[in-house]
Amino acid sequence: MTMYRYMAFMWDAADAGPARAAAFLGDTLHQVSPHRWEQAWSGDGLAIHHSGEQKGRMQTYRLKGGRGAVLGRLFRSDYTSVVDDPGEYESRRILETGGQRLIDDYWGRYVAFLDDAPSRTRYVLRDPSGAFPCFYTRWRGVTIYFSDMQDAAAFEFLPFTVNWDYVRANIALPFFQKNITGLAEVSEVLPAEHVEIKPGWECRKNVWNPAEIAQRNVVYDAVVAEMRLRETIMATIGALAGCFDRVLINLGGLDSSIALACIVSRVNNPETTCITNFTRSLRGDERFYTRQVAGHFNVPLVEFELDARMIDLRTCRRMNKEASPHGVFDCIALTGHEFELARETSAQALFTGAGGDNVFFQAPRFLGALDYIRSHPFVAKETFLIAFEAARYGRTSIWKTLKEMARERVSREPCYEYVHNTLFGARRMPLVDPKLWSEGSYKSFLHPQLIPDHDFLKGKYHHLMGCALFPNRCYDQWDCDYTAGRVHPFFSQPIIELCLQIPTWILTYGGIDRGLARRAFREHLPHDVIMRVSKSTPQTFYDEICRCNRSFLREALLDGRLVTEDILRRDKLEAALGDDDVKLQLRSNDLLGFAATEVWAEEWPARNKSAIA
Amino acid sequence: MKTGADPALFLTEKTFVARTDGVLVFLNLRHDRYSCLERRHTAPVSALLGLPAQAPGARAAPYGDDAGDTERLAACVRKVGASREGGSAARGTDAAPCLSMDRADDAGARANRESKGDELADIIDGLIAGGVATRDPGSGKRAALLAQFDELREIPGYLPREGPKVRAGHVAAFFRAYATARLLLKISTLERIAERLQRRRMRAALAPAPVNPPMKPAMKSTMALHRTPAMAPAINRAMNLVTQAQGAQAPAPAEGSATGPAAGAPGAWTAAETGGRDRVNELVEIYKILKPLLVTVKDQCLLNSLCLIEFLACYRIYPDWWFGVRLNEFYAHCWVQSGNVIFDDFIQNTSANEPIMVV
């Protein structure tokens, strides 16, 4: 079984040269790719190929009247699944609105190619969750859109070179959606981006604005917020799970437990198996909680001990090609046990709790109080209560919180700088060359919707950055067979939109981390799980991986491209990668992330060389 | 008198030891000072102290050069005994996580210039001169590594805004506890504070537990300690509570496992002492609600945990005070725990530290 993927070729139909190039690409695709491709849709100047279609899961929806196709997975706003192609009326409305109808009345993970032949206009649109990729590159007048970089890289005549601006920006501003990719020749239709294309002309705009959503229909009542949160999450995750017969769920803390609760409480729920990873260190062991949850729902639980001796980092040289380095080394996936279990259980998807922290607003400090004071009187009983709760949440004193709230009212710092400092101010990266920081702000590389007005609410901006437009992998970098697709249900449009509409001080209700989510699901989960505020960490696992793979790290990093590009400091790397385990473990996360980036960067020159040969 | 089974070295009465990242760390409670050995000296000194061999998988071979270790330690050195404001477990430090630290084997550096055979002797002399170790079993105690429980829990909390009602008495007790903790940290030593807590606990162990204990601070308790022959076993039991907590002999841990006092063992938490688990949960939650009034967590673990201990003592609840160290950016930390239940911290924080002492 292979995961759904697409490749679309778009060219000016009036131009013969690109037409020949497009035909050549279509023919060559079948020769160079290991997947079985079929033509999903074609029109003048647009040909879409797909592979791995599964109706009811990931598929191609063909609009009536030759108006184009929507690739991926669609649900209506009432959470019902769209399996059949849209009818005439829907197809017409989708095209007339340039795809806006998809954003407003549907959700899911999709990329739309719309064709208005009479006006010679085409539209490319990507859903706000960004769960389904849309990269593109150009060759001989043809724009090649694709979901998986591995497929584009199979065309050996297409050159791809590392974009070092991206690499720097990704170190300075990790995790967040950028408007460039790691390859100079590859761009991306960004999440929630709409591209209108006419011959010789192109216009881009954003069709989903999280900042606007956060200020519209705000849910100020905590009881209503709690109820809506529960209903929306159950409906969304239930809808996503309904596509599958058998699923795995990676069980850990509160968020994955909520996901499990939603999956199993669905009528006709899929066969569910849970897997939990643990380390020998208590820091990475949450089996006390996962056993309770699995027992509560009577689902099988597989416990897997993470052993660093199983990890040979040299295997990362065999990882699938990606348009951008992730910068975070997913060592747990490298063990391969999840894929093995997926094969054994014939699971069709691996659900995770990723994104729960983001949407439920697990942010540092007392940002909720800063948002509150912007629209409420300073001298009021409720204000003091909010301040108290925020102080508890931020693990600071009430007096400091009140002082910050007063400053927020009277003389506030600009939003972006304040939140940026909250996120990254305490970060220390001695391995990184100071020149990287002095090259100015990397703000311009962010998705345009992630740059706030000066006056935007700080807590809500922090929230927005973490949950809206958050880049997630679609295709696993280790799983060459794409056995089970990863589903991160919390990064779905309905959940993101609702959570954006809930004020941050209500999300951290009672001064408890993810307080509102805990209240919303208190009847569905064991009390210990609902009330657990600690988080496990596989840190000791990562530390051990570094220790066991020290020679690989030295080999990859000391004289690697990151050093020659003046991104990392060789002297500091040498000190960290010496024989002192303590120094090594101090920087283990950074070292693993840099190693992943280095290996990613190395493969492109090697590929280009072999292509020329 | 030394027997064949006795180790060559003993710790002084008020010294505790932990082994973290292959390095022995000592806490001398009397001098309120942490010190450590170089990694290459840890194995031989561990043997002299009669400590179990390094856990399988741990690196026992000497690593790093003296200069590297010295530089790293030197970066963390600060004079102990400076201001106690803030009350970090790293006594005398400010908010920086680096800890006041001495090289226990300063003599080791000089030993580079001497023969290897003298090097260890110099280290031992240094440990003895520094008040860390002694050859006299009569005045010292056997070294023992303290181990954490196999399973740890955090005390369960309450759903948001469904916590216990905070009353005036709680607020008064909180302020009293805070004032006591601040005063103690200002004018007293950690040794004296620890002794005070131990004495209080002993008195509580001897006193009959009231059905509904009055809500007044233990300091003002009118219950006098009368030692009678009938009470002697109880006192001995109370003493065991203290001494075993100080130097719990952990069985050699199985690979990858850790052991600690089992429920019901000395140091564990019984309903008779606490008046019920629910009551403890309630009081800890009330403390957490009130904490933002005066106490922050960041780098003030000493003040925070002592304040909680004093607060709970007002209600005749006496959890243990755990201290731990780690070498990854040298750091000392303390927290409140009873049995395997952590009261005021997270598992991921406490487990990052190797336990060195329990009060």
Side-chain angles (χ1 to χ4, degrees):
Chain A
M1 183 175 67
T2 183
M3 275 184 69
Y4 179 73
R5 61 196 56 249
Y6 70 88
M7 189 168 281
F9 307 118
M10 190 183 288
W11 67 97
D12 182 353
D15 200 331
R20 282 195 298 273
F24 170 77
L25 287 166
D27 293 336
T28 311
L29 178 62
H30 297 273
Q31 294 162 27
V32 301
S33 171
H35 306 292
R36 231 170 47 146
W37 293 88
E38 294 165 347
Q39 191 167 74
W41 189 92
S42 72
D44 273 347
L46 176 60
I48 303 173
H49 303 260
H50 69 185
S51 175
E53 181 184 41
Q54 290 184 288
K55 285 275 192 197
R57 292 197 192 132
M58 292 289 280
Q59 65 186 81
T60 300
Y61 303 91
R62 296 162 184 83
L63 302 187
K64 290 280 188 287
R67 292 181 175 97
V70 180
L71 314 178
R73 188 80 186 89
L74 281 178
F75 298 91
R76 297 182 191 86
S77 49
D78 63 0
Y79 303 98
T80 53
S81 173
V82 179
V83 180
D84 299 323
D85 294 340
E88 172 62 31
Y89 175 77
E90 274 305 302
S91 300
R92 183 160 46 84
R93 290 294 295 142
I94 288 170
L95 182 60
E96 278 172 0
T97 59
Q100 186 68 46
R101 187 166 176 86
L102 289 170
I103 301 286
D104 296 338
D105 294 344
Y106 295 85
W107 62 277
R109 40 159 71 178
Y110 59 87
V111 172
F113 292 91
L114 308 178
D115 188 19
D116 188 358
S119 66
R120 296 181 70 198
T121 306
R122 297 195 191 102
Y123 306 94
V124 183
L125 168 69
R126 188 173 168 200
D127 91 271
S129 75
F132 200 36
C134 187
F135 299 107
Y136 65 91
T137 188
R138 298 189 207 271
W139 185 73
R140 296 191 180 176
V142 180
T143 306
I144 308 168
Y145 296 91
F146 53 93
S147 58
D148 188 358
M149 189 66 219
Q150 189 84 354
D151 297 327
F155 291 117
E156 288 188 344
F157 47 85
L158 293 179
F160 296 114
T161 50
V162 174
N163 178 357
W164 291 104
D165 282 343
Y166 178 91
V167 176
R168 290 186 179 86
N170 203 38
I171 291 173
L173 293 172
F175 312 122
F176 303 115
Q177 178 70 48
K178 318 278 186 307
N179 56 21
I180 53 174
T181 73
L183 297 172
E185 297 82 1
V186 177
S187 300
E188 196 176 356
V189 175
L190 300 176
E193 194 172 45
H194 171 280
V195 187
E196 184 180 344
I197 303 158
K198 292 185 196 262
W201 179 88
E202 192 175 284
C203 171
R204 294 169 175 263
K205 66 179 181 184
N206 288 294
V207 292
W208 183 83
N209 189 329
E212 270 177 25
I213 290 168
Q215 294 170 308
R216 187 175 75 208
N217 301 327
V218 179
V219 186
Y220 287 108
D221 187 315
V223 173
V224 171
E226 178 190 323
M227 181 192 68
R228 286 188 57 191
L229 188 68
R230 181 174 50 248
E231 286 173 356
T232 301
I233 290 174
M234 294 202 77
T236 304
I237 297 181
L240 288 167
C243 306
F244 305 101
D245 303 313
R246 288 171 301 281
V247 302
L248 271 188
I249 180 159
N250 194 328
L251 196 58
L254 176 69
D255 305 325
S256 52
S257 302
I258 289 175
L260 176 63
C262 297
I263 291 171
V264 301
S265 58
R266 184 198 146 79
V267 175
N268 300 325
N269 58 290
E271 252 177 66
T272 306
T273 304
C274 299
I275 181 167
T276 190
N277 301 306
F278 68 96
T279 65
R280 288 183 189 175
S281 162
L282 292 176
R283 302 172 77 188
D285 190 347
E286 43 196 357
R287 287 175 291 170
F288 173 74
Y289 301 100
T290 55
R291 285 172 184 169
Q292 282 195 48
V293 175
H296 184 76
F297 294 113
N298 199 25
V299 292
L301 174 66
V302 175
E303 297 176 349
F304 185 82
E305 182 179 349
L306 297 172
D307 187 344
R309 290 171 296 185
M310 298 169 59
I311 305 294
D312 180 359
L313 287 184
R314 285 182 165 79
T315 58
C316 74
R317 293 193 193 280
R318 297 197 300 267
M319 64 184 173
N320 298 327
K321 289 187 171 46
E322 295 185 305
S324 305
H326 220 241
V328 173
F329 206 118
D330 184 0
C331 296
I332 294 176
L334 193 51
T335 61
H337 62 288
E338 286 169 352
F339 312 136
E340 280 306 311
L341 188 60
R343 284 190 194 97
E344 276 175 39
T345 58
S346 303
Q348 295 144 342
L350 173 60
F351 278 69
T352 75
D357 291 347
N358 309 56
V359 298
F360 296 145
F361 190 57
Q362 191 192 52
R365 302 172 68 181
F366 35 70
L367 295 176
L370 300 189
D371 287 359
Y372 181 87
I373 204 60
R374 290 279 296 273
S375 54
H376 293 82
F378 200 90
V379 182
K381 185 180 163 192
E382 184 72 11
T383 299
F384 197 67
L385 178 61
I386 295 290
F388 230 104
E389 289 176 350
R392 177 179 177 171
Y393 176 82
R395 309 188 90 194
T396 185
S397 76
I398 177 72
W399 315 114
K400 179 169 171 130
T401 304
L402 286 169
K403 179 179 154 196
E404 291 292 321
M405 288 165 80
R407 195 193 318 201
E408 182 66 11
R409 272 291 268 261
V410 170
S411 150
R412 66 184 75 104
E413 279 180 57
C415 179
Y416 176 85
E417 283 72 18
Y418 185 96
V419 173
H420 185 273
N421 190 50
T422 304
L423 284 166
F424 303 119
R427 197 168 57 145
R428 286 183 292 168
M429 300 190 81
L431 302 176
V432 175
D433 195 310
K435 281 201 283 290
L436 186 137
W437 312 113
S438 64
E439 276 165 24
S441 157
Y442 292 89
K443 192 170 153 182
S444 58
F445 291 120
L446 287 176
H447 189 302
Q449 302 285 48
L450 293 179
I451 300 174
D453 292 336
H454 277 321
D455 230 21
F456 197 74
L457 297 178
K458 294 178 172 66
K460 187 50 68 178
Y461 175 58
H462 189 292
H463 186 208
L464 184 159
M465 277 202 95
C467 68
L469 313 165
F470 201 79
N472 280 299
R473 272 198 185 98
C474 176
Y475 303 102
D476 204 283
Q477 63 182 144
W478 306 117
D479 182 3
C480 296
D481 297 330
Y482 304 113
T483 309
R486 285 179 191 268
V487 181
H488 307 302
F490 290 106
F491 283 122
S492 298
Q493 187 178 342
I495 296 176
I496 294 171
E497 286 184 350
L498 174 65
C499 289
L500 285 174
Q501 290 169 324
I502 299 174
T504 51
W505 64 88
I506 291 183
L507 287 168
T508 52
Y509 194 63
I512 309 279
D513 161 45
R514 294 168 286 171
L516 190 73
R518 293 173 197 277
R519 282 187 65 92
F521 284 90
R522 66 182 185 272
E523 306 295 337
H524 295 77
L525 292 172
H527 182 77
D528 279 339
V529 173
I530 282 291
M531 285 324 306
R532 175 192 173 205
V533 291
S534 66
K535 291 189 86 63
S536 72
T537 168
Q539 189 60 52
T540 51
F541 177 56
Y542 290 146
D543 293 346
E544 274 302 295
I545 289 173
C546 282
R547 215 175 54 73
C548 297
N549 290 270
R550 195 192 313 259
S551 58
F552 168 80
L553 291 172
R554 290 180 65 91
E555 177 192 309
L557 290 173
L558 280 183
D559 293 304
R561 295 294 307 276
L562 292 176
V563 168
T564 56
E565 290 287 329
D566 290 334
I567 292 174
L568 297 183
R569 290 181 57 173
R570 196 183 194 285
D571 56 338
K572 297 288 186 185
L573 278 173
E574 269 200 36
L577 291 167
D579 289 332
D580 187 333
D581 284 353
V582 174
K583 281 185 185 165
L584 180 72
Q585 287 161 18
L586 260 178
R587 304 287 158 224
S588 55
N589 291 351
D590 289 345
L591 288 167
L592 290 172
F594 294 144
T597 301
E598 182 68 46
V599 166
W600 171 89
E602 278 172 8
E603 63 187 8
W604 297 105
R607 171 196 171 270
N608 292 340
K609 215 181 276 183
S610 80
I612 290 166
Chain B
M1 188 163 69
K2 249 190 202 178
T3 67
D6 280 349
L9 273 185
F10 300 83
L11 294 179
T12 54
E13 195 199 330
K14 297 294 182 180
T15 298
F16 303 89
V17 66
R19 187 162 55 207
T20 176
D21 288 313
V23 169
L24 276 183
V25 179
F26 301 99
L27 166 59
N28 186 324
L29 199 59
R30 175 147 292 151
H31 298 129
D32 198 5
R33 182 168 295 188
Y34 289 88
S35 56
C36 77
L37 294 178
E38 287 188 35
R39 192 172 278 116
R40 66 196 175 102
H41 298 137
T42 289
V45 174
S46 293
L48 290 170
L49 287 168
L51 290 173
Q54 189 82 33
R59 306 292 289 272
Y63 281 108
D65 51 278
D66 288 356
D69 276 344
T70 306
E71 276 173 13
R72 178 164 52 79
L73 294 170
C76 292
V77 164
R78 246 171 166 258
K79 186 84 177 124
V80 172
S83 164
R84 300 214 179 151
E85 289 301 311
S88 163
R91 299 278 285 179
T93 66
D94 61 10
C98 269
L99 183 64
S100 297
M101 251 278 284
D102 289 339
R103 285 272 302 279
D105 55 350
D106 278 340
R110 293 195 297 278
N112 284 331
R113 300 188 291 275
E114 303 167 17
S115 71
K116 275 193 173 167
D118 294 333
E119 186 177 352
L120 194 55
D122 279 341
I123 291 165
I124 294 167
D125 288 342
L127 290 172
I128 292 171
V132 169
T134 175
R135 288 192 178 89
D136 176 13
S139 62
K141 64 181 182 189
R142 289 188 73 119
L145 298 175
L146 187 58
Q148 244 313 356
F149 286 82
D150 277 342
E151 286 187 347
L152 284 176
R153 304 280 166 264
E154 289 133 7
I155 198 165
Y158 290 75
L159 280 169
R161 295 208 188 169
E162 289 185 6
K165 209 168 168 56
V166 178
R167 302 188 191 283
H170 297 128
V171 179
F174 173 79
F175 277 103
R176 195 157 35 225
Y178 179 80
T180 304
R182 285 301 293 251
L183 187 66
L184 286 172
L185 289 172
K186 198 170 178 59
I187 65 170
S188 189
T189 62
L190 195 54
E191 180 192 1
R192 295 245 162 84
I193 295 171
E195 283 171 359
R196 177 178 172 278
L197 298 185
Q198 287 160 3
R199 280 196 305 272
R200 182 167 65 194
R201 195 163 180 171
M202 268 192 258
R203 285 198 299 271
L206 293 171
V211 174
N212 288 311
M215 300 287 192
K216 58 183 178 181
M219 280 192 303
K220 291 187 181 172
S221 170
T222 55
M223 299 177 72
L225 179 65
H226 297 289
R227 188 171 177 150
T228 68
M231 284 186 172
I235 290 175
N236 287 339
R237 181 178 70 82
M239 290 294 291
N240 285 338
L241 273 170
V242 169
T243 56
Q244 287 198 27
Q246 278 184 344
Q249 177 70 46
E255 187 173 322
S257 73
T259 60
W269 172 39
T270 66
E273 283 179 327
T274 65
R277 190 175 289 260
D278 286 346
R279 182 158 163 270
V280 177
N281 289 0
E282 191 180 284
L283 288 168
V284 172
E285 180 70 13
I286 288 171
Y287 176 83
K288 288 177 181 173
I289 290 169
L290 293 172
K291 192 164 71 173
L293 280 174
L294 292 170
V295 185
T296 61
V297 173
K298 190 173 164 48
D299 300 322
Q300 290 194 321
C301 55
L302 260 185
L303 174 63
N304 178 59
S305 50
L306 185 57
C307 190
L308 174 59
I309 286 170
E310 290 298 321
F311 177 78
L312 291 173
C314 296
Y315 303 98
R316 297 174 53 82
I317 295 166
Y318 309 103
D320 301 323
W321 196 9
W322 284 65
F323 288 74
V325 292
R326 65 174 188 248
L327 264 195
N328 190 332
E329 291 191 319
F330 193 93
Y331 191 67
H333 187 49
C334 64
W335 63 93
V336 179
Q337 180 176 324
S338 191
N340 70 338
V341 179
I342 299 168
F343 281 10
D344 63 341
D345 207 333
F346 299 127
I347 294 172
Q348 69 262 30
N349 291 343
T350 60
S351 302
N353 297 277
E354 198 64 37
I356 192 168
M357 180 179 76
V358 175
V359 179

